[in-house]
Amino acid sequence: MSGQRPGNLGPNTAPDTPAPPSKRRRRHWLRRISLTLVSLLVIIVLAVQAVLWTNIPKRLVISEVEKTLGLRLQAGALHTDWFGHSTLSDVRISLPLAHEPLLTIDQLDVSHNWLGSLLLSRQVALKSIHIHDATLTVVQAPDGQWNIQQVLTLQHVSGPKAGGARPPALPAVTVDNLTVHVSRQSRND
């Protein structure tokens, strides 16, 4: 061992510093991370789609509309896609204590913000509403008050309070084939 300095391991041996990871090892980890992220994204998409196939969105929409309008809402079905389109069928809107619906709608198409922004912001931005085949039933009670007046009273009561939030901007509304029935209830009804 003559001629070697202390700490020198010889001409072919490397010092104690670790060698940089090889390109193969980096690619291996990059593939693992990418596969994990893609798998996680697929699981999230499948989970959200599974929720869309359940009754949960329908219950949430009906609850929110009832709370906002102060009216009772029933719908036969609700279909929502990822890109901002929902369709409700067999919709019935009535006053809270009424037996008969005020408005029945065969199909209601709603255009709104896409599902991703809806999930992140938790705010629905309605763009348009298209009503197909609706029937509005306007009835005057024996006391002379019209059911439409009751709806307007509910809207005034459940609307924004003084100093509260501004009312939402109304979307474009299109109605195809609206039938209006006007009647009076007698004291005997």
Side-chain angles (χ1 to χ4, degrees), residues 61-63 65-66 71-75 88 91-94:
V61 167
I62 289 174
S63 171
V65 170
E66 286 180 338
L71 299 171
R72 195 173 71 224
L73 177 77
Q74 297 171 319
L88 288 103
V91 178
R92 299 189 185 320
I93 301 172
S94 57

Side-chain angles (χ1 to χ4, degrees), residues 7 9 13-19:
L9 301 175
T13 57
D16 292 339
T17 59

Side-chain angles (χ1 to χ4, degrees), residues 90-106:
D90 299 324
V91 178
R92 299 189 185 320
I93 301 172
S94 57
L95 289 163
L97 300 176
H99 298 292
E100 296 297 317
L102 170 74
L103 180 64
T104 58
I105 303 169
D106 287 347

Side-chain angles (χ1 to χ4, degrees), residues 29-188:
W29 279 105
L30 185 58
R31 270 192 228 127
R32 273 189 173 177
I33 292 170
S34 298
L35 184 61
T36 301
L37 290 175
V38 168
S39 298
L40 186 61
L41 182 63
V42 167
I43 289 170
I44 290 171
V45 166
L46 290 175
V48 170
Q49 187 60 48
V51 168
L52 288 176
W53 287 333
T54 67
N55 251 0
I56 294 171
K58 178 181 166 186
R59 288 194 316 250
L60 290 173
V61 167
I62 289 174
S63 171
E64 192 62 34
V65 170
E66 286 180 338
K67 196 175 3 174
T68 302
L69 297 180
L71 299 171
R72 195 173 71 224
L73 177 77
Q74 297 171 319
L78 169 72
H79 301 285
T80 301
D81 68 20
W82 285 77
F83 302 105
H85 184 264
S86 296
T87 300
L88 288 103
S89 60
D90 299 324
V91 178
R92 299 189 185 320
I93 301 172
S94 57
L95 289 163
L97 300 176
H99 298 292
E100 296 297 317
L102 170 74
L103 180 64
T104 58
I105 303 169
D106 287 347
Q107 182 174 319
L108 181 66
D109 294 323
V110 180
S111 177
H112 51 80
N113 49 332
W114 71 284
L115 193 59
S117 69
L118 219 164
L119 291 173
L120 293 174
S121 69
R122 295 182 184 216
Q123 293 181 350
V124 177
L126 293 179
K127 297 174 184 170
S128 67
I129 298 174
H130 194 118
I131 299 170
H132 303 275
D133 301 320
T135 302
L136 176 65
T137 304
V138 180
V139 179
Q140 185 180 29
D143 65 357
Q145 188 175 19
W146 294 88
N147 59 353
I148 295 295
Q149 288 174 300
Q150 294 172 338
V151 170
L152 295 175
T153 301
L154 280 173
Q155 295 309 306
H156 180 70
V157 169
S158 66
K161 307 296 182 232
R166 297 175 64 188
L170 292 176
V173 177
T174 308
V175 180
D176 291 336
N177 195 19
L178 173 67
T179 303
V180 179
H181 296 279
V182 180
S183 65
R184 288 187 176 166
Q185 289 180 339
S186 66
R187 298 216 182 259
N188 298 335

